[in-house]
Amino acid sequence: MATIFPSWLGGYELNKKVTNPNIIVGDFTYYSGYYHDKHFEDHCVRYLMGDHCTKAVWDSGIFGEVDKLIIGKFCSIASGAVFMLAGNQGHRHDWISSYPFDVSEFGDKVKTGFARVGDTVIGNDVWIGSECVIMPGVSIADGAVIGARAVVTKDVPPYSVVVGNPGRVVKTRFNAEDVAKLLEMKWWDWPLSTLKANMDVMCSHDVDALYQRFLSFSE
């Protein structure tokens, strides 16, 4: 019986729950984890310095900067999605061995394999399906949809729908003109009062109607 998430109908807003200083989340983004019944940080975010088991090491300051997980506003994250931040862990597949040799065991000629691959960045209004895997350093642009169990290994364009392993773009949510309008409007940055006043159009497919309103209150 699930205890953290009483029902698959609900979830919680991440910026009210996350504690890791290397996770940055925008307003209204939520995680619904009923089927895995673990908190977002405990299940979804892997190998990110500053989590529960590495907090003391992170607080010591010996690692300096590490790759971060940055998630925008109004994102929907389904149960069991995984964000791999393994780029911080020192496995160098371009070296002869990918093994992270320990100085105390193998001597002072050992070199650190630590190499940043870049932040993992999720845009705004992104829907991330159940049990998908987002690989290190990937950027998923605004409005994208990631299908269940997709493995995302490269950047995703705005308003694209990605499925499969490896993840591939199968379509876009809107035509190019409407995507351009949506990216110009950036409705996720509107004042909450403005957003509430336009819910009748937000809950429709009529991008142009919303754009006309945007033009009227932007003058």
Side-chain angles (χ1 to χ4, degrees):
M1 184 71 176
T3 55
I4 298 174
F5 301 92
S7 165
W8 53 262
L9 292 170
Y12 56 63
E13 290 184 39
L14 286 183
N15 63 3
K16 296 178 180 178
K17 291 284 188 178
V18 296
T19 60
N20 190 322
N22 293 310
I23 302 175
I24 302 165
V25 185
D27 294 337
F28 297 102
T29 286
Y30 74 91
Y31 175 59
S32 181
Y34 173 80
Y35 290 106
H36 296 79
D37 200 36
K38 291 184 178 180
H39 283 295
F40 178 78
E41 288 180 87
D42 295 332
H43 182 90
C44 298
V45 185
R46 309 286 177 93
Y47 308 110
L48 179 60
M49 193 65 64
D51 62 6
H52 300 307
C53 65
T54 62
K55 188 176 187 307
V57 178
W58 171 253
D59 288 344
S60 73
I62 63 173
F63 272 86
E65 285 294 309
V66 298
D67 299 334
K68 294 178 173 59
L69 173 59
I70 302 169
I71 305 174
K73 303 174 185 177
F74 295 97
C75 292
S76 307
I77 304 175
S79 190
V82 171
F83 300 84
M84 297 291 288
L85 277 295
N88 291 327
Q89 301 311 307
H91 294 272
R92 293 289 298 270
H93 60 77
D94 57 324
W95 288 0
I96 291 172
S97 174
S98 63
Y99 188 85
F101 296 106
D102 191 326
V103 172
S104 64
E105 176 73 19
F106 293 95
D108 58 11
K109 291 185 179 181
V110 169
K111 298 178 182 178
T112 177
F114 177 84
R116 297 183 66 183
V117 297
D119 297 334
T120 299
V121 181
I122 314 301
N124 305 282
D125 189 28
V126 175
W127 177 13
I128 296 178
S130 182
E131 297 184 352
C132 68
V133 177
I134 313 299
M135 297 303 288
V138 165
S139 291
I140 299 176
D142 298 327
V145 173
I146 309 300
R149 294 191 173 177
V151 178
V152 182
T153 60
K154 59 184 180 180
D155 293 352
V156 175
Y159 290 90
S160 296
V161 178
V162 171
V163 301
N165 180 9
R168 65 191 188 283
V169 175
V170 292
K171 64 179 182 179
T172 56
R173 292 176 57 194
F174 303 98
N175 62 43
E177 183 180 354
D178 283 348
V179 168
K181 290 175 181 177
L182 288 161
L183 294 176
E184 180 184 349
M185 287 188 285
K186 298 185 185 296
W187 61 261
W188 42 83
D189 288 334
W190 294 357
L192 192 56
S193 58
T194 302
L195 193 55
K196 288 180 178 179
N198 289 282
M199 278 292 111
D200 57 328
V201 184
M202 286 292 301
C203 298
S204 79
H205 64 274
D206 197 342
V207 174
D208 189 62
L210 187 66
Y211 187 69
Q212 295 307 317
R213 293 188 188 184
F214 166 73
L215 293 177
S216 68
F217 61 67
S218 298
E219 292 176 351

